[in-house]
Each structure stands twice: as structure tokens, then as C-alpha cells.
């Protein structure tokens, strides 16, 4: 399914008033995971600015031990500090990478802003080296704009 075809589906999920926020996030994770072949782990992390940590929210994919990540640590932690998208074409070449699984070859993390503050991020792992393009970044920014309406 193309990104253009997915956009109205994402909007329909975030607009569904019969679902809780976490249910909406989980369904978005499921949609992306099942619709985009190289999205092998899809999840949201949310920031606690008091403790400077990220906390795992709804996700789809292999179980992870990384339920709390300090700001600055790993790709997700770096995005919590930089507020910028971070695309890692090959995790093996990245110094500050927290290994989740030997099957993960690349990662993309896009920050989630609500009311001008970085409140978290969407994190996607792939079992393929270098699959993410600018189109992925723009699409995930759209997803996060829709998710931000829930906050």
C-alpha cells in the first residue's frame, strides 16, 4: 500500500471517537507494520521531561527490553534531544545504537510534537539495510501530525 493510500486510513483511526488514545496508537502501529513490507517493528516512545527518559508506548513487533531510554542514548534518545528526524541506513555503522535484535539492519525515528513540545516519537526498525527514503520521513511526519491531535 502506498503512503498516499495510508494517509486517509491513519486519519480515520485518529478520528475514531470510540477508541482510546492507546488503542488508536496500537492500530496505527499494526497498520504500518502490515502495510509496508520493510517496517518490521513500529512503536511509539513518549518523553518524561522531568526524568529525561523515553517510555515505550504501544508497539508492534518483536518484544523489546528497551522500555525506558535515557535522553541522548541510542537513536531514540538522540532524537529526544535534537528534535530532528534520524535515519540510520545501517545500524552496524552507528556508534550510539542500542541493539534490539540481530535482525534489525536500519532504523528511522521521527519526533512527535504537540503544542510545540517534543512529547515523543515514532520508531521504526527494518530487517533491510537502507530502505528509508525522504518519502518515509514525510509520511511519518504526517502520521505524527495526526497523532499530535490526540494530545
Amino acid at each position: 500500500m502506498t503512503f498516499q493510500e495510508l494517509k486517509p486510513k491513519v486519519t480515520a483511526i485518529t478520528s475514531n471517537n470510540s477508541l482510546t488514545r492507546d488503542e488508536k496508537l496500537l492500530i496505527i502501529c499494526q497498520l504500518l507494520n502490515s502495510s509496508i513490507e520493510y517496517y518490521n517493528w513500529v512503536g511509539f516512545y513518549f518523553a518524561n521531561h522531568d526524568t529525561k527518559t523515553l517510555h515505550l508506548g504501544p508497539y508492534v513487533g518483536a518484544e523489546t527490553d528497551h522500555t525506558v531510554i535515557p535522553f541522548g542514548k541510542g537513536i531514540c534518545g538522540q532524537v529526544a534531544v535534537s528534535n530532528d528526524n534520524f535515519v540510520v541506513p545501517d545500524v552496524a555503522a552507528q556508534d550510539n545504537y542500542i541493539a534490539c535484535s540481530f535482525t534489525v539492519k536500519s532504523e528511522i525515528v521521527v519526533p512527535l510534537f504537540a503544542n510545540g513540545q517534543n512529547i515523543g516519537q515514532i520508531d521504526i526498525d527494518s530487517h533491510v539495510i537502507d530502505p528509508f527514503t525522504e518519502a518515509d520521513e514525510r509520511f511519518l511526519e504526517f502520521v505524527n501530525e495526526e497523532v499530535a491531535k490526540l494530545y
Side-chain angles (χ1 to χ4, degrees), residues 123-141:
D123 178 19
I124 298 175
D125 293 341
S126 179
H127 298 163
V128 179
I129 289 181
D130 200 15
F132 303 114
T133 67
E134 188 175 324
D136 291 278
E137 288 188 71
R138 299 298 82 82
F139 172 66
L140 295 172
E141 288 167 355

Side-chain angles (χ1 to χ4, degrees), residues 10-27:
V10 170
T11 301
I13 294 165
T14 58
S15 302
N16 185 336
N17 292 328
S18 67
L19 299 170
T20 67
R21 183 168 50 201
D22 278 357
E23 287 170 335
K24 292 175 185 183
L25 294 175
L26 181 60
I27 293 168

Side-chain angles (χ1 to χ4, degrees), residues 104-125:
V104 175
K105 304 296 183 205
S106 57
E107 182 173 13
I108 183 171
V109 179
V110 176
L112 171 60
F113 296 96
N115 304 313
Q117 183 178 32
N118 182 342
I119 63 163
Q121 53 204 225
I122 189 167
D123 178 19
I124 298 175
D125 293 341

Side-chain angles (χ1 to χ4, degrees), residues 57-72:
Y59 74 96
V60 172
E63 210 172 301
T64 179
D65 292 335
H66 303 118
T67 58
V68 179
I69 299 173
F71 284 12

Side-chain angles (χ1 to χ4, degrees), residues 1 18 31 33 71 85 87-88 92 97 123 125 128 139 145:
M1 195 173 299
S18 67
L31 175 68
N33 183 256
F71 284 12
N85 298 352
V87 178
V88 181
Y97 174 71
D123 178 19
D125 293 341
V128 179
F139 172 66
E145 286 167 11

Side-chain angles (χ1 to χ4, degrees), residues 36-110:
I36 303 171
E37 185 180 345
Y38 54 92
Y39 284 18
N40 303 119
W41 191 97
V42 179
F44 289 93
Y45 280 93
F46 291 94
N48 179 323
H49 290 281
D50 293 334
T51 60
K52 298 204 178 314
T53 52
L54 293 165
H55 298 265
L56 183 62
Y59 74 96
V60 172
E63 210 172 301
T64 179
D65 292 335
H66 303 118
T67 58
V68 179
I69 299 173
F71 284 12
K73 187 165 172 58
I75 307 309
C76 292
Q78 289 176 73
V79 169
V81 173
S82 73
N83 297 321
D84 294 322
N85 298 352
F86 199 151
V87 178
V88 181
D90 181 357
V91 297
Q94 185 66 35
D95 288 340
N96 191 6
Y97 174 71
I98 304 171
C100 294
S101 164
F102 69 91
T103 58
V104 175
K105 304 296 183 205
S106 57
E107 182 173 13
I108 183 171
V109 179
V110 176

